[in-house]
């Protein structure tokens, strides 16, 4: 067959939803075209190959096909084909949440389409630009792009595209709370969908329509029942069409979303039957990216029916299904009708919740330990998923160290997982003898309010308003464990904090007589699976000290940084990069050419909700997290990783759980075993005293990093000038505390 005949067959397969078949045929067409030296057909085949790979959730291979198409298209003088490649690249980058790259290619494609006056291509690109705006919450701009796309598509006779653009416009109207307007648009689109011939595109349009009607209900209570009916009819029709053309993957989404509709109405028996149909469809075509959703949904429905053991089994299946495909799931929005990527974190949290409920119904013993261990593992997985969502990359997986049994790490350490559920808080504690769960009847709203009040007041150096909050949090989080902590002679507490708990210093909790730091050394880790628990090798430590003492780029001077670095020089061998020498290329050269165990950075920094806005100030610019990751990343593949990354004089957003996550995650992402960093900016004089004492204590081989920090904090606490926790408590030790 000629490449063009193959392409025709591949396109037909794609429209039936037979994506694997479309992928195989387009691959053959691309090879045939290459052999014949037919560049245009090869490019079209690569475009179809990318489209099929993307439909299968394989975003990275899709990008590879398109990058190849881009290099081939530069050899032919065909602006229309070039713009089509740009448009496809934009679409896949969009699916991969790489917004800057997506915008770059989409606007280039639009420019060419306008120059050539190609309404069909313009309509395609404008629809994608609408999706780009919507994913950045710019719904008015999205709406304008969708409307222009719909009218151009109609003008070009592209009915399917016109329908999708109208549906997208309706979704944007819903985001702007224009529910009545959205419903009118959905009804118009519904009439147009009916006229399409049965195909994959028609089935996905009906799914989007059904989800649109369902989303419009809360804003139009008087029409709720009518909209529910329209939603159900659209999803049912989508399922029937998909089954009729053999598009089982799309049928699984239609049945699954229909099941969810019944679930939201608490009609659990029907919901369960429909969801099981979705599971069966997804299993029959090996569609894990669809399957895990419906296994998860089955678990939720069974839990609502109080069939706890069956619910746990379904959740376990969902977790097993999602593990191998998690990168694709978290990065892309592949399901029909959805524009947002799916976070898998709630899956693990809900699973842990069920396991804890199950353990609560049993006597303490080996069986309940099994459920508690499974709950701990689920929480660990949720922490890793959260870090991946924050950094939007898979580096976290590369770092997941081989977890060592805690008993072999240190018998004087207790690991505390405070888990905040909507209705209660659970303390899951790892003692040397095993796990123990202690439920605390405090809802997430109540504890979050207390945490926010504590964070707000503990930063104020001139008042003791923080004390009632510090005592209340101690009573909830630590007091219930006191007898066990005494029994096991625990001297170090390692917290794996949840949500808002990441924004506060645990060391400043107060038992009514003294601060927690007076009783225990304290460390924080975003998850034990992300920690490599090995003691620091003090013999061979070399320190690279870097930072700014002068005012640069509108940030104030840090005069005490100089003495902090002088003290470091007197304690350890190493090199310094200060002020004009503290620039990224110089830092990169030092880290590549020398073997440092400690990287000390004393500069202004800011950890934001969005990792892209997080930075450390250098003399002439800003060091982003990705740059730091690349610089320190060279240690990852060496025998001796970076033992300690110290970030002195940085701060995070006060009520910002995600920013605090970045603070903890940066060490992991950069491949450092431990990090020492601050939750808020403290004066550099206090900082110099604390950091110097920490490093001095660290020279003693019998002292862990956590104890070194404890002693440094106690030194400030005992000083009349610095006794307020605003000075000593914001220093946190992350990850490896040994």
């Amino acid at each position: 067959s000629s490449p063009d005949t193959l392409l025709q067959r591949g396109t037909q397969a794609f429209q039936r939803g037979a994506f694997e078949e479309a992928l195989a045929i387009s691959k053959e067409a691309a090879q045939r075209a290459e052999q014949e030296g037919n560049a245009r057909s090869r490019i079209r085949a690569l475009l179809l190959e990318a489209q099929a790979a993307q439909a299968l959730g394989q975003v990275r291979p899709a990008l590879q096909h398109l990058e190849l198409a881009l290099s081939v298209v530069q050899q032919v003088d065909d602006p229309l084909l070039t713009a089509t490649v740009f448009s496809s690249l934009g679409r896949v980058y969009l699916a991969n949440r790489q917004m800057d790259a997506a915008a770059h290619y989409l606007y280039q494609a639009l420019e060419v389409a306008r120059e050539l006056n190609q309404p069909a291509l313009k309509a395609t690109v404008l629809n994608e630009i609408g999706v780009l705006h919507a994913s950045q919450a710019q719904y008015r701009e999205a709406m304008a792009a969708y409307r222009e796309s719909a009218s151009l598509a109609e003008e070009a006779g592209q009915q399917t595209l016109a329908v999708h653009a109208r549906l997208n416009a309706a979704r944007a109207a819903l985001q702007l709370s224009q529910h009545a307007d959205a419903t009118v648009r959905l009804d118009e689109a519904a009439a147009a969908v009916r006229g399409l011939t049965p195909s994959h595109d028609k089935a996905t349009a009906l799914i989007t329509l059904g989800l649109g009607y369902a989303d419009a209900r809360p804003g139009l209570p008087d029409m709720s029942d009518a909209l529910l009916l329209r939603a159900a009819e659209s999803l049912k029709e989508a399922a029937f069409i998909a089954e009729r053309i053999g598009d089982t993957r799309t049928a699984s989404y239609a049945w699954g979303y229909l099941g969810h509709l019944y679930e939201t109405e608490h009609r659990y028996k029907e919901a369960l039957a429909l969801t099981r149909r979705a599971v069966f469809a997804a299993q029959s075509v090996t569609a894990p990216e669809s399957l895990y959703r419906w296994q998860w949904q089955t678990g939720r429905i069974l839990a609502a029916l109080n069939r706890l053991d069956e619910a746990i089994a379904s959740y376990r299946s969902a977790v097993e299904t999602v593990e191998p495909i998690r990168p694709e799931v978290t990065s892309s929005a592949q399901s029909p009708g959805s524009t947002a990527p799916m976070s898998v974190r709630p899956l693990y949290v809900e699973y842990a919740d069920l396991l804890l409920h199950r353990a609560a119904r049993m006597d303490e013993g080996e069986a309940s330990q099994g459920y508690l261990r499974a709950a701990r593992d689920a929480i660990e997985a949720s922490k890793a998923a959260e870090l991946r969502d924050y950094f939007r990359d898979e580096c976290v997986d590369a770092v997941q160290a081989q977890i060592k049994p805690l008993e072999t790490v240190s018998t004087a350490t207790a690991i505390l997982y405070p888990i905040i559920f909507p209705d209660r808080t659970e303390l899951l504690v790892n003692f040397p003898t095993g796990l123990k769960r202690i439920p605390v009847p405090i809802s997430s709203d109540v504890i979050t309010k207390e945490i926010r009040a504590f964070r707000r007041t503990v930063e104020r150096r001139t008042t003791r308003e923080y004390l009632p909050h510090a005592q209340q949090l101690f009573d909830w989080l630590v007091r219930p464990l006191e007898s066990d902590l005494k029994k096991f002679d625990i001297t170090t507490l390692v917290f794996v904090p949840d949500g808002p708990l990441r924004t506060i210093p645990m060391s400043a909790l107060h038992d009514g007589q003294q601060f927690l730091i007076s009783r225990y050394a304290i460390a924080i880790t975003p998850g034990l699976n992300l920690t490599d628990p090995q003691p620091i090798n003090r013999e061979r430590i070399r320190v690279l000290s870097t930072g700014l003492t002068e005012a640069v780029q509108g940030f104030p001077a840090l005069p005490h940084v100089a003495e902090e670095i002088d003290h470091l020089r007197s304690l350890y061998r190493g090199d310094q990069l200060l002020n004009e020498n503290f620039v990224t290329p110089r830092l990169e050269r030092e880290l590549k050419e020398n073997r440092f165990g400690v990287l000390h950075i004393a500069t202004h920094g800011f950890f934001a909700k969005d990792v892209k806005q997080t930075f450390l100030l250098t003399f002439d610019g800003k060091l982003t997290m990705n740059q730091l990751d690349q610089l320190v990343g060279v240690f990852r593949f060496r025998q001796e990783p970076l033992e300690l990354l110290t970030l002195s004089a940085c701060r995070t957003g006060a009520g910002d759980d995600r920013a605090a996550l970045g603070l903890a995650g940066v060490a992991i992402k950069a491949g450092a075993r431990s990090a020492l960093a601050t939750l808020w900016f403290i004066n550099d004089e206090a900082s110099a005293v604390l950091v110097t004492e920490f490093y001095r204590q660290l020279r003693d081989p019998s002292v862990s990093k956590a104890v070194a920090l404890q002693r440094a904090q106690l030194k400030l606490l005992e000083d009349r000038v610095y006794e307020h926790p605003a000075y000593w408590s914001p220093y946190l030790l992350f990850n490896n505390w040994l």
Side-chain angles (χ1 to χ4, degrees):
S1 304
S2 72
D4 292 348
T5 314
L6 286 167
L7 269 174
Q8 216 172 346
R9 273 179 45 214
T11 306
Q12 286 163 352
F14 186 89
Q15 272 311 330
R16 291 197 313 277
F19 304 131
E20 281 99 345
E21 191 186 330
L23 191 60
I25 294 172
S26 55
K27 187 172 276 177
E28 193 188 337
Q31 286 164 349
R32 193 73 54 88
E34 189 183 5
Q35 286 158 3
E36 291 178 11
N38 184 341
R40 283 181 173 76
S41 292
R42 187 180 174 204
I43 293 159
R44 288 194 190 93
L46 287 165
L47 287 169
L48 181 59
E49 215 175 328
Q51 201 181 355
Q54 190 188 346
L56 289 164
Q58 301 167 4
V59 178
R60 286 187 186 138
L63 277 174
Q64 286 162 351
H65 300 318
L66 290 174
E67 273 152 14
L68 183 55
L70 188 62
S71 66
V72 179
V73 86
Q74 280 154 2
Q75 298 157 24
V76 296
D77 182 24
D78 189 334
L80 182 57
L81 204 48
T82 305
T84 309
V85 174
F86 286 160
S87 166
S88 297
L89 269 164
R91 186 179 66 242
V92 181
Y93 275 121
L94 198 52
N96 207 31
R97 318 304 289 169
Q98 290 171 267
M99 299 308 170
D100 297 344
H104 170 75
Y105 283 112
L106 289 174
Y107 283 108
Q108 267 186 287
L110 186 61
E111 203 178 315
V112 180
R114 285 196 167 132
E115 279 168 17
L116 299 173
N117 193 20
Q118 285 282 344
L121 182 59
K122 261 194 290 189
T124 304
V125 178
L126 281 164
N127 186 48
E128 298 298 343
I129 286 173
V131 177
L132 175 70
H133 284 307
S135 59
Q136 294 170 319
Q138 299 162 345
Y139 299 112
R140 286 185 205 292
E141 293 87 340
M143 179 101 79
Y146 292 140
R147 287 166 77 169
E148 192 182 343
S149 170
S151 62
L152 282 166
E154 268 161 13
E155 181 192 319
Q158 301 274 339
Q159 285 313 314
T160 306
L161 178 56
V163 164
H164 280 285
R166 281 183 170 185
L167 287 168
N168 285 338
R171 300 295 291 264
L174 286 174
Q175 292 289 351
L176 291 164
S177 300
Q178 300 170 0
H179 293 84
D181 178 43
T183 307
V184 172
R185 288 173 189 281
L186 288 168
D187 289 342
E188 284 171 6
V193 171
R194 305 279 180 265
L196 300 177
T197 52
S199 65
H200 167 71
D201 278 341
K202 180 171 182 174
T204 54
L206 283 161
I207 289 175
T208 308
L209 183 65
L211 295 176
Y213 280 132
D215 290 346
R217 290 176 65 209
L220 298 166
D222 298 347
M223 290 182 67
S224 183
D225 291 347
L227 290 169
L228 179 66
L229 206 58
R230 284 179 222 175
E233 281 168 358
S234 302
L235 291 169
K236 223 174 269 178
E237 193 185 343
F240 289 141
I241 286 174
E243 285 189 344
R244 194 160 90 232
I245 63 171
D247 185 355
T248 312
R249 185 184 304 270
T250 302
S252 85
Y253 280 106
W255 291 126
Y257 285 132
L258 190 57
H260 181 55
L261 211 53
Y262 279 91
E263 182 194 0
T264 56
E265 289 297 293
H266 308 297
R267 290 169 62 177
Y268 295 122
K269 285 209 167 61
E270 292 113 315
L272 192 58
L274 289 161
T275 307
R276 286 193 161 144
R277 211 164 164 174
V279 166
F280 181 72
Q283 279 169 332
S284 68
V285 285
T286 322
E289 72 291 349
S290 159
L291 176 60
Y292 88 90
R293 288 166 183 256
W294 316 128
Q295 289 170 326
W296 178 359
Q297 188 163 294
T298 305
R300 270 201 318 271
I301 295 165
L302 287 164
L305 290 166
N306 207 17
R307 289 156 64 176
L308 199 53
D309 286 337
E310 291 171 83
I312 286 171
S314 283
Y315 268 94
R316 191 183 305 120
S317 299
V319 165
E320 285 165 4
T321 302
V322 86
E323 278 300 315
I325 58 155
R326 209 180 38 215
E328 284 81 9
V329 170
T330 46
S331 68
S332 61
Q334 288 311 330
S335 62
S338 101
T339 50
M342 186 94 168
S343 171
V344 292
R345 184 170 182 261
L347 167 64
Y348 296 113
V349 175
E350 290 166 24
Y351 182 36
D353 189 8
L354 288 181
L355 290 162
L356 290 168
H357 274 302
R358 188 69 188 82
R361 296 183 180 183
M362 310 178 77
D363 297 332
E364 283 185 24
E366 197 40 52
S368 85
Q369 278 293 307
Y371 283 110
L372 293 178
R373 278 196 294 272
R376 179 196 61 197
D377 294 346
I379 288 298
E380 283 282 347
S382 86
K383 302 287 179 194
E386 204 173 11
L387 271 180
R388 258 191 308 275
D389 288 349
Y390 180 76
F391 285 116
R392 297 200 202 126
D393 89 12
E394 290 305 299
C395 59
V396 178
D397 288 340
V399 183
Q400 285 219 345
Q402 225 12 72
I403 179 166
K404 295 184 170 56
L406 281 171
E407 299 76 295
T408 64
V409 172
S410 166
T411 50
T413 300
I415 319 277
L416 175 57
Y417 295 80
I419 312 161
I420 300 173
F421 292 110
D423 60 336
R424 71 195 192 288
T425 300
E426 291 259 2
L427 306 176
L428 187 59
V429 198
N430 219 323
F431 289 112
T433 53
L435 284 155
K436 183 165 183 174
R437 75 171 268 281
I438 301 163
V440 182
I442 302 298
S443 71
S444 63
D445 291 351
V446 173
I447 197 167
T448 300
K449 204 170 149 196
E450 196 63 44
I451 290 165
R452 299 280 186 244
F454 175 52
R455 168 67 196 249
R456 211 171 41 246
T457 50
V458 75
E459 282 188 62
R460 295 181 192 147
R461 299 169 196 180
T462 51
T463 80
R464 291 170 66 80
E465 292 169 78
Y466 67 85
L467 205 52
H469 306 297
Q471 289 174 348
Q472 179 63 82
L473 288 168
F474 180 93
D475 288 344
W476 288 339
L477 298 172
V478 184
R479 199 166 306 278
L481 326 172
E482 283 195 306
S483 60
D484 287 306
L485 294 171
K486 278 200 188 82
K487 184 168 91 182
F488 293 113
D489 285 332
I490 297 298
T491 55
T492 299
L493 284 181
V494 178
F495 285 89
V496 184
D498 195 28
L501 284 169
R502 285 191 292 254
T503 65
I504 58 169
M506 296 297 181
S507 54
L509 301 188
H510 201 280
D511 67 1
Q513 305 293 313
Q514 60 190 151
F515 289 106
L516 193 59
I517 197 66
S518 303
R519 295 167 57 177
Y520 303 100
I522 291 168
I524 303 289
T525 169
L528 272 189
N529 290 353
L530 301 163
T531 303
D532 182 11
Q534 292 184 26
I536 188 166
N537 183 338
R538 291 160 173 84
E539 303 306 304
R540 300 208 301 272
I541 280 190
R542 275 188 73 192
V543 178
L544 177 60
S545 316
T546 65
L548 299 173
T549 61
E550 301 167 7
V552 296
Q553 302 174 56
F555 285 83
L558 295 166
H560 290 276
V561 162
E563 74 186 63
E564 187 177 306
I565 284 176
D566 278 344
H567 282 303
L568 257 173
R569 187 183 293 166
S570 70
L571 292 168
Y572 297 93
R573 293 177 305 130
D575 299 310
Q576 287 79 35
L577 294 178
L578 276 181
N579 298 325
E580 64 278 3
N581 291 317
F582 181 41
V583 290
T584 306
R586 187 74 198 278
L587 181 61
E588 184 172 15
R589 198 166 72 233
E590 286 287 342
L591 290 173
K592 274 195 176 138
E593 291 173 7
N594 298 295
R595 301 224 154 186
F596 295 105
V598 176
L599 173 59
H600 181 92
I601 304 178
T603 181
H604 293 282
F606 183 65
F607 285 83
K609 180 177 263 125
D610 183 352
V611 72
K612 285 186 182 149
Q613 290 159 2
T614 293
F615 68 87
L616 298 171
L617 197 70
T618 59
F619 187 73
D620 60 349
K622 290 187 168 105
L623 188 63
T624 66
M625 283 310 94
N626 279 342
Q627 288 172 306
L628 184 65
D629 168 37
Q630 283 157 7
L631 293 179
V632 182
V634 298
F635 288 88
R636 244 187 248 155
F637 308 104
R638 291 183 180 172
Q639 288 312 107
E640 301 97 38
L642 189 64
E643 289 284 359
L644 177 65
L645 172 67
T646 300
L647 303 174
S648 168
C650 298
R651 66 192 176 96
T652 60
D656 195 339
D657 311 348
R658 274 180 75 83
L661 184 71
L663 197 63
V666 68
I668 291 173
K669 187 165 159 54
R673 278 202 175 131
S674 311
L676 181 66
T678 52
L679 275 172
W680 57 81
F681 180 73
I682 54 177
N683 80 18
D684 67 323
E685 196 172 346
S687 188
V689 175
L690 186 142
V691 169
T692 303
E693 183 62 20
F694 168 74
Y695 280 114
R696 207 173 65 73
Q697 291 289 344
L698 203 57
R699 292 183 64 184
D700 180 346
S702 68
V703 172
S704 69
K705 292 179 201 142
V707 170
L709 178 60
Q710 178 190 27
R711 290 179 182 174
Q713 287 177 313
L714 291 176
K715 181 175 180 176
L716 256 66
L717 176 56
E718 285 152 15
D719 183 326
R720 289 283 303 279
V721 181
Y722 298 129
E723 65 183 357
H724 194 286
Y727 289 108
W728 52 262
S729 75
Y731 266 97
L732 305 185
L733 177 68
F734 292 105
N735 289 14
N736 177 5
W737 62 92
L738 296 178

